[in-house]
Amino acid sequence: MFVVVTSYAQQSETEQKAVLVTGASSGIGLKITEELSAKGYFVYAGARKQADLDRLNTMDNVQAIKLDVNNWSEINAAVDIVKKEGRGLYGLVNNAGVAIFSPLIEVKEEDLDFIFNVNIYGPYRITKAFAPLIIESKGRITTISSISGILAGRFFGPYSMSKHAMEAFTDALAVEMEKFDVQVSAIEPGNYNSKIVESLVKRMKSKDISFENSLYKEEFESLITSYGADRSRYKDPKEVADAVEKALFSSNPKRRYMVVPNENEANWTITQILREMVQLNENQAYKYNREELIKKLDKILAETE
Ligand SMILES: NC(=O)c1ccc[n+]([C@@H]2O[C@H](COP(=O)([O-])OP(=O)(O)OC[C@H]3O[C@@H](n4cnc5c(N)ncnc54)[C@H](OP(=O)(O)O)[C@@H]3O)[C@@H](O)[C@H]2O)c1
């Protein structure tokens, strides 16, 4: 018998599901682009710099699109390009993101504006602009949040605030999109290799941001030394990209995909969620006792099985 083996990548364009990934030039966004395109999905890869656009355009199943998530004219132009291509849009991955490290009592408003603009308003703008296409295809929206969407620690305040916002964004959007059969998820990665700290350090240098006169000078220096701009000691983010594929294409996607490289990071995150539950419950007018809490936990566990 003659059997034709067709890989996903060889499927005709009309069969390919298309996905837009923002911030595809490096790190997690690039890995998502590489993984999805290699599996035969069509990826519109958003990037800002011409060299990155050129590099992405050399990949099979990838079309690079100039896309700064802060720039409405680029966003509108990107929507027009995707519409003209005629593939529709099945998946949206809000990945573009930045970080700053700063104590909350010293952070400048312009630095908060910088991070919130990319990490919060970015997904808001992109989701709003592409929602009609996603609704048309009864597709999926996923946002790269972080375990910092649950955790918050010294100097991570602005970043954690932005990722906590993405947790709320995901839950509210998920309910609002139910009536259109669009499913919404968040991915909560732990620490993976990327350029996020390199970009942060570059921005600090270019803006002359220093903590010489900070009340936290010593703690800040030890954070920068322990963290370092080079994240090559961290794992490659392939497992994050795998979770994105599940969020976009599995028949029953989860609301949240926490993906961490070691047990410590899982432990911090889950313990924090449980601690918050205990803190909310303690000394309040309608306090649940231990047995009632366990019953509630069992009920939620049963619902998610
Ligand atoms: N790496 C981790 O351990 C980790 C953990 C949890 C969550 N995350 C999240 O993962 C996402 C990706 O970060 P990453 O770690 O992969 O860092 P990365 O390598 O620095 O990638 C960030 C991407 O966002 C892009 N970007 C920044 N500002 C943008 C803007 N205004 N418009 C469009 N794109 C913009 C960057 O483009 P340029 O190259 O043009 O700057 C780059 O493509 C972020 O949302 C981050 O918060 C990362």
Side-chain angles (χ1 to χ4, degrees), residues 20 22 46-48 53 65-69 74-75 78 126 130:
L20 172 76
T22 64
R48 297 190 293 176
L53 294 163
I65 296 188
K66 188 158 170 39
L67 188 53
D68 182 325
V69 300
E74 286 188 12
I75 296 169
I126 296 288
F130 286 93

Side-chain angles (χ1 to χ4, degrees), residues 22-23 95-99 118-119 159 163 196:
T22 64
N95 166 74
V98 291
V118 181
N119 292 8
Y159 183 72
K163 293 302 181 178
I196 197 158

Side-chain angles (χ1 to χ4, degrees), residues 13 17 31 42 51 58 81 92 124-125 143 155 186 200 211 229 235 242 247 270 276 296:
E13 282 180 9
K17 282 188 168 154
K31 185 53 75 173
F42 191 86
T58 63
I81 293 169
L92 170 58
Y124 148 75
R125 293 185 193 101
T143 299
F155 308 143
L200 172 158
F211 287 85
K235 232 175 154 180
D242 292 341
I270 300 299
E276 281 180 27
K296 280 184 177 298

